Amino acid sequence: MNYRGRKLDAVALWEEFVDFPPNADLSGGFAPLVVCPNPDHGSTKKHFQINLEKPLVHCFALCGISGTYEKAIALVKGISEKEARKVIVQHTRVSLGPGSKRKSRGADGRVRRAAIGDRDENAVARLDDFSTYLPPVALEYLSARGIDAAAISTWGLGWDADERRIVIPADDERGISRFLIKRAIRSKDWPKYLYWPEGAVKTALLFGACKLDRKQVSSHGLVLCEGSLDAIRLQGMGIQATAILGTGLSDRQAQIIRSLRPRRIFFMFDKDGAGIRNTELAASKLTKCPLFVCLYPKGKADPAELTRKEASHAIDTALSMTAFKRRLRERGVSPKVKSPKRERKVALG
Ligand SMILES: [Zn+2]
């Protein structure tokens, strides 16, 4: 069941409160009637029904439990509905999303699944501090960036209501949650990205590395982009993409990339001066792998703007590093230009 964008194991949740009959069919729809968990009801007759597809329950003895999971658990445990929501969230898992079956066939598929499990516990613990409910304004923002409900669930995206920022759990290459990225959605909110806890070293991990199909990376290649949402979007298209989280590939990130043994590396940084500097710096640290630079179609300047077709095309037609440098020279562009005005004119495409 989808619960606030996350995958909820409703049976595991309700097993804490009721006894399901042995061999009961709990695959979906309504669970068989069970003894009502309301301490004030006090009957051993089976009056209580749990909907396993929508988060709703009902007691046919009309003891007062009827409605949402939150409301029912709050009543049973004598806690607030907000606290009840946390109880429920503890039984949610980040959905493995479409394509996970194909991925799990890989030689290390089992290992990776286990890693995803570890990650969940961590992410859930950290996300407890934030609402997992995304308000319309956040959903609109994500949808405009091509991030759909499946991706929200897969990546466990949340919402910081106080700061009005999208919360993105950042996991390391083993799938362990290290910190949270809080992305502003209004242009007036600065800085664009906040990291939590404060002092988190964002370049210590390569965002999205834990969700890669490593077989694809070694047989086809790896795409490097700047932002976490870019990587999420590209992975949603089936592209093996990771993000360096902003400014300059770190030595640690280069080390992680080398350990992935990519057949080729495609740089898909933003089409601006910073993007060119990122390309140059990353190229200087990744000397042992064939490097390519993706070009953007006219009028587009970052991965979030690309359609699936455009992204594939950009990868298929990427320039070799040598050709890219020649192109920069021909256009009279030195990557070290300082003037922001000049930089803005620089075209990667
Ligand atoms: Zn009842």
Side-chain angles (χ1 to χ4, degrees):
M1 174 197 309
N2 184 315
Y3 180 77
R4 296 175 173 249
R6 301 173 70 87
K7 199 174 172 186
L8 171 66
D9 186 344
V11 174
L13 168 70
W14 282 102
E15 270 173 346
E16 272 189 34
F17 307 103
V18 302
D19 292 317
F20 290 114
N23 309 322
D25 176 14
L26 301 171
S27 57
F30 291 104
L33 290 176
V34 289
V35 173
C36 180
N38 182 0
D40 294 334
H41 183 158
S43 163
T44 52
K45 285 189 182 160
K46 293 178 178 175
H47 288 130
F48 190 66
Q49 189 163 54
I50 298 163
N51 188 331
L52 297 173
E53 276 166 10
K54 288 177 186 166
L56 297 171
V57 297
H58 182 68
C59 176
F60 287 98
L62 306 177
C63 70
I65 291 196
S66 185
T68 63
Y69 278 16
E70 285 102 330
K71 212 175 141 194
I73 289 170
L75 201 90
V76 171
K77 287 186 71 123
I79 56 178
S80 71
E81 283 189 36
K82 198 180 168 192
E83 286 168 319
R85 199 172 302 141
K86 286 187 185 178
V87 173
I88 300 170
V89 166
Q90 275 160 16
H91 288 276
T92 59
R93 290 287 177 273
V94 175
S95 153
L96 291 175
S100 62
K101 274 188 191 137
R102 179 175 50 78
K103 281 186 188 177
S104 69
R105 276 213 304 267
D108 58 342
R110 199 180 306 166
V111 176
R112 235 173 320 116
R113 253 172 202 276
I116 289 168
D118 292 345
R119 182 203 108 86
D120 288 350
E121 298 305 322
N122 249 301
V124 166
R126 291 188 170 211
L127 277 167
D128 267 1
D129 290 348
F130 301 98
S131 171
T132 50
Y133 167 72
L134 291 162
V137 63
L139 290 173
E140 263 165 44
Y141 174 85
L142 289 171
S143 147
R145 300 196 55 137
I147 293 170
D148 59 10
I152 291 169
S153 169
T154 300
W155 295 82
L157 305 187
W159 177 246
D160 183 336
D162 297 331
E163 289 174 3
R164 300 187 62 75
R165 284 168 181 265
I166 288 164
V167 179
I168 307 158
D171 301 349
D172 68 15
E173 70 281 9
R174 288 172 302 159
I176 297 167
S177 183
R178 295 294 176 190
F179 54 86
L180 298 175
I181 304 166
K182 298 199 216 166
R183 172 66 158 94
I185 60 168
R186 298 176 297 193
S187 50
K188 63 174 180 155
D189 288 338
W190 190 89
K192 202 153 79 165
Y193 297 99
L194 286 174
Y195 298 88
W196 185 90
E198 251 174 78
V201 184
K202 60 175 181 165
T203 54
L205 63 79
L206 186 65
F207 184 89
C210 63
K211 287 197 164 56
L212 292 170
D213 182 335
R214 295 198 179 198
K215 263 194 168 168
Q216 289 271 345
V217 171
S218 56
S219 64
H220 289 83
L222 176 71
V223 172
L224 285 189
C225 55
E226 283 171 27
S228 47
L229 293 180
D230 298 334
I232 291 174
R233 170 151 169 73
L234 291 169
Q235 283 204 15
M237 297 171 174
I239 294 169
Q240 303 307 314
T242 56
I244 63 168
L245 301 180
T247 48
L249 185 82
S250 70
D251 293 341
R252 173 78 188 115
Q253 288 171 333
Q255 192 187 7
I256 298 165
I257 292 168
R258 279 192 294 270
S259 75
L260 296 169
R261 304 184 180 281
R263 174 91 177 265
R264 310 173 188 88
I265 295 171
F266 300 93
F267 298 129
M268 203 185 269
F269 298 132
D270 294 358
K271 183 170 155 181
D272 56 13
I276 291 184
R277 275 194 298 278
N278 271 335
T279 302
E280 292 276 322
L281 179 68
S284 72
K285 292 188 179 186
L286 299 165
T287 50
K288 288 196 177 139
C289 190
L291 304 176
F292 295 85
V293 180
C294 298
L295 306 180
Y296 291 95
K298 244 199 168 113
K300 303 209 169 175
D302 78 71
E305 296 171 349
L306 301 183
T307 62
R308 185 190 296 261
K309 204 173 155 194
E310 286 168 340
S312 304
H313 185 74
I315 291 165
D316 291 343
T317 60
L319 289 182
S320 72
M321 201 63 208
T322 321
F324 175 71
K325 283 185 175 167
R326 192 187 315 127
R327 192 176 172 126
L328 284 186
R329 270 198 309 276
E330 281 165 9
R331 296 188 177 192
V333 176
S334 155
K336 274 148 196 120
V337 273
K338 283 274 153 62
S339 151
K341 247 191 183 165
R342 180 80 186 276
E343 284 173 12
R344 228 170 281 135
K345 277 191 218 150
V346 169
L348 282 175

